[in-house]
Amino acid sequence: LASMIEKEAGKREDYAKVSAVFHNRLNQVITLDSDATAAYPLGVKRMVLTGDELSAANGYNTYTRGGLPVGPICNPSKSALTAALYPDMEYIAEGYLYFCAGDPSKGETVFAKTREEHQANVQKYRPLWEAYDKKNAAG
């Protein structure tokens, strides 16, 4: 969990909020749907993943398997470990279930309670992610 927080949160101040989303999803038995876990075994470094990448069946992809991945996806920092143990209790109580990157140049993480809010965030920020990927031409 800590390694996922490390890779998913844009800034350290978002670690506990990202942790809360993961805790809420685990408690509701919802797949974690982490792009970082989908990308890890494939060696992909882009912000926008393809449908095939998101549906790849392996032990790390939390889109295709329930619960946590089979192992860590990075070496988490102390801050990420702390966030895994102590998620943001306000975000847990308020029922946040989604997050995505915001503007990549700012390292933002944008949170949502409903799928509809999340989809609106994805639609808003996807052009920035695509531009970032194009500029960085990462695999």
Side-chain angles (χ1 to χ4, degrees):
L1 180 59
S3 68
M4 293 171 58
I5 294 165
E6 185 77 38
K7 287 295 188 180
E8 288 284 9
K11 297 178 181 176
R12 287 189 194 269
E13 56 262 25
D14 291 331
Y15 282 13
K17 294 174 185 174
V18 168
S19 178
V21 169
F22 285 143
H23 278 270
N24 283 342
R25 293 179 75 88
L26 287 166
N27 288 335
Q28 292 189 28
V29 193
I30 301 170
T31 55
L32 297 177
D33 293 357
S34 165
D35 285 10
T37 65
Y40 174 71
L42 306 175
V44 175
K45 306 288 184 194
R46 286 179 273 102
M47 293 189 75
V48 179
L49 302 177
T50 67
D52 285 344
E53 291 164 343
L54 292 174
S55 64
N58 60 65
Y60 287 94
N61 190 345
T62 58
Y63 280 92
T64 60
R65 62 175 282 123
L68 296 169
V70 296
I73 59 171
C74 73
N75 190 13
S77 65
K78 182 178 179 182
S79 296
L81 289 164
T82 300
L85 293 170
Y86 304 104
D88 185 300
M89 295 310 290
E90 185 175 321
Y91 271 53
I92 286 182
E94 291 184 20
Y96 281 89
L97 291 172
Y98 302 92
F99 65 84
C100 67
D103 183 342
S105 69
K106 297 178 182 175
E108 296 174 325
T109 305
V110 181
F111 297 88
K113 294 178 185 176
T114 67
R115 179 175 292 285
E116 293 76 21
E117 291 171 346
H118 176 65
Q119 289 172 334
N121 287 337
V122 169
Q123 185 175 5
K124 176 180 178 179
Y125 292 105
R126 181 179 287 274
L128 297 176
W129 307 336
E130 290 169 345
Y132 179 88
D133 285 346
K134 187 174 180 179
K135 178 181 175 186
N136 292 292

